[in-house]
Amino acid sequence: MSDSGKFDSSEVERGLTGRPVRELTEPEPLSEHGPAHIIAMCNQKGGVGKTTSTINMGACIAELGRKVLLVDLDPQGALSAGLGVPHNDVDVTIYDLLVDRKADVHDAVHSTAVPNLDLVPANIDLSAAEIQLVNEVGREQALARALRPVMKDYDFIILDCQPSLGLLTVNALACAQDVIIPMECEYFALRGLALLTDTVEKVSDRINFDLEIMGILVTMFDRRTSHAREVMSRVVEVFGDRVFDTVITRTVRFPETSVAGEPITTWAPKSQGADQYRSLALEVLERTAR
Ligand code: ADP
Ligand code: MG
């Protein structure tokens, strides 16, 4: 944030990827909303920043006047908890929407403290969904079917995947236009990404021809270590322009926000972490032309 309190993308330290820094422009206001562009936040490794990025990128896109629905696809329910939704005692969760054709998505949508930001929660019930879906016709399309009635209401639907490449994640990939892959900036992070990109390719070959990898998001970057800088240059070597210019640095502010149950934009609006996710939101809008 600048002194005027307005977000100024030029103040965010970029160029951490080693590439030249580009200017990002604020998008025009929208006069109407929808249809939704669906983004899956995906990495079968746990603890890489999927949920943190879903919450904070979602909140920052909402700050830009876009209507955003976040969908929790992890039985751990960290996304729901991270936004203060009491997911263990709600009536309708994503589980019901996936397995019960009569369940209505409108009954599962919760508003959050952030204007323009809604959530469909999950809890441990969801861990049974894969087994229940496996023998269904169109088992990969259950999520697309469940979300269809609200597609017209949102500009973005962001899916927080669980750390696996199982049927729930395939459901996410089957209905998304784009995948964002958050990855922790550490030595073994690149391992496993081949399997993930392979899965994305298979789904785009067989089920969802529109699916693309929008970008690789480097998270938990520690600028003080040469190790992190080495991993970064390797990531850029492998993925080139697909790596977002915005890099999320490691800070204790993020674990704090999970406890607080709110995004960093309200918990610490002027922090570097908040501005990094604002910068990411601008890149996402640029890459989706919205
Ligand atoms: P995933 O959803 O991929 O399992 P999370 O978003 O839950 O990963 O993040 C795992 C842990 O790391 C959480 O405790 C979260 O608060 C913390 N974390 C996420 N991003 C950062 C960051 N940039 N700096 C420090 N801690 C982070
Ligand atoms: Mg998670």
Side-chain angles (χ1 to χ4, degrees), residues 43 45-53 74 78 160-161 163 182 219-221 248-258 276-277:
N43 189 331
K45 195 165 184 290
V48 298
K50 290 182 289 297
T51 301
T52 305
S53 299
D74 187 341
D160 183 24
C161 295
T219 64
M220 302 187 215
F221 183 77
I248 311 298
T249 50
R250 187 182 290 277
T251 157
V252 70
R253 287 293 181 152
F254 289 107
E256 282 173 15
T257 59
S258 334
Q276 287 168 348
Y277 275 106

Side-chain angles (χ1 to χ4, degrees), residues 51 55 72 74 77-87 119-123 160 261:
T51 301
I55 293 175
D72 197 346
D74 187 341
L79 176 70
S80 315
L83 283 166
V85 172
H87 54 290
L119 167 84
V120 173
N123 60 31
D160 183 24

Side-chain angles (χ1 to χ4, degrees), residues 81-261:
L83 283 166
V85 172
H87 54 290
N88 289 319
D89 22 74
V90 292
D91 284 340
V92 187
T93 65
I94 189 66
Y95 165 76
D96 303 281
L97 304 181
L98 290 170
V99 302
D100 178 359
R101 292 184 155 270
K102 290 198 284 295
D104 183 348
V105 58
H106 295 98
D107 297 332
V109 173
H110 293 250
S111 54
T112 71
V114 179
N116 293 326
L117 186 69
D118 293 345
L119 167 84
V120 173
N123 60 31
I124 199 70
D125 291 347
L126 184 61
S127 53
E130 293 205 344
I131 292 171
Q132 284 180 255
L133 282 175
V134 91
N135 291 317
E136 296 272 325
V137 175
R139 60 188 178 180
E140 288 98 357
Q141 263 86 24
L143 181 62
R145 174 187 52 73
L147 294 176
R148 199 168 301 134
V150 289
M151 288 291 287
K152 61 181 186 320
D153 302 328
Y154 293 96
D155 302 306
F156 287 91
I157 298 179
I158 308 174
L159 312 172
D160 183 24
C161 295
Q162 66 177 153
S164 101
L165 294 174
L167 186 51
L168 282 177
T169 298
V170 171
N171 261 270
L173 296 177
C175 70
Q177 281 106 317
D178 280 299
V179 185
I180 292 180
I181 303 177
M183 60 172 288
E184 189 182 354
C185 197
E186 55 104 37
Y187 188 68
F188 292 113
L190 282 158
R191 284 191 181 178
L193 283 196
L195 190 62
L196 174 55
T197 51
D198 212 45
T199 305
V200 172
E201 262 166 38
K202 276 190 187 138
V203 173
S204 73
D205 245 23
R206 298 172 192 178
I207 311 176
N208 176 3
F209 308 124
D210 298 330
L211 183 65
E212 278 178 13
I213 295 176
M214 183 200 295
I216 311 288
L217 174 66
V218 177
T219 64
M220 302 187 215
F221 183 77
D222 188 343
R223 76 188 83 230
R224 293 165 305 184
T225 69
S226 57
H227 168 72
R229 291 194 299 272
E230 278 160 26
V231 174
M232 174 68 81
S233 60
R234 181 81 187 114
V235 172
V236 172
E237 205 175 290
V238 173
F239 292 100
D241 286 347
R242 281 208 269 193
V243 182
F244 285 108
D245 287 328
T246 306
V247 171
I248 311 298
T249 50
R250 187 182 290 277
T251 157
V252 70
R253 287 293 181 152
F254 289 107
E256 282 173 15
T257 59
S258 334
V259 179

